[in-house]
């Protein structure tokens, strides 16, 4: 069974596509982390603009990682996944 999961994950990684249904984060924890770390720079209004820059799940994942890197927050992968899930469930609603 271990190898089946590994094969599945490698297959997903090789497609270079993220499906919103496969976002593994916990949106509730993500909201808490967002409020702790991300609101230092901006509120949630940036997610409701008609001309928002993030257009896909892949873009959302990349944006969260970019913010983490640029601000040198050093948040772990689980926290980034949680924030991404929160943002998707609450604002973006990518499928």
């Amino acid at each position: 069974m271990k190898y089946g999961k590994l094969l599945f994950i490698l297959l997903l990684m090789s497609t270079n596509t993220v499906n919103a249904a496969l976002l593994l984060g916990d949106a509730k924890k993500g909201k808490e982390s967002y409020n702790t770390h991300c609101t230092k720079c901006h509120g949630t209004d940036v997610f409701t603009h008609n001309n928002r820059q993030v257009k896909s799940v892949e873009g959302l994942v990349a944006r969260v990682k970019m913010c983490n890197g640029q601000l040198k927050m050093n948040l772990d992968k689980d926290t980034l996944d949680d924030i991404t899930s929160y943002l998707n469930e609450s604002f973006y609603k990518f499928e």
Side-chain angles (χ1 to χ4, degrees), residues 17-86:
T17 327
V18 178
N19 183 321
L22 297 177
L23 290 176
L24 301 175
D26 179 324
K28 184 177 178 185
K29 288 181 183 176
K31 181 176 182 177
E32 294 169 10
S33 295
Y34 179 86
N35 288 333
T36 300
H37 302 289
C38 305
T39 57
K40 294 175 183 174
C41 294
H42 56 80
T44 57
D45 58 309
V46 298
F47 310 121
T48 57
H49 293 180
N50 289 336
N51 62 344
R52 64 185 179 199
Q53 295 177 350
V54 175
K55 306 285 186 196
S56 66
V57 174
E58 296 87 355
L60 180 57
V61 170
R63 179 59 56 103
V64 171
K65 286 181 182 178
M66 187 243 353
C67 288
N68 185 48
Q70 281 191 338
L71 299 174
K72 297 179 173 76
M73 292 189 291
N74 299 317
L75 300 176
D76 62 35
K77 182 184 179 319
D78 290 339
T79 302
L80 297 177
D81 288 346
D82 293 345
I83 292 170
T84 303
S85 290
Y86 162 66

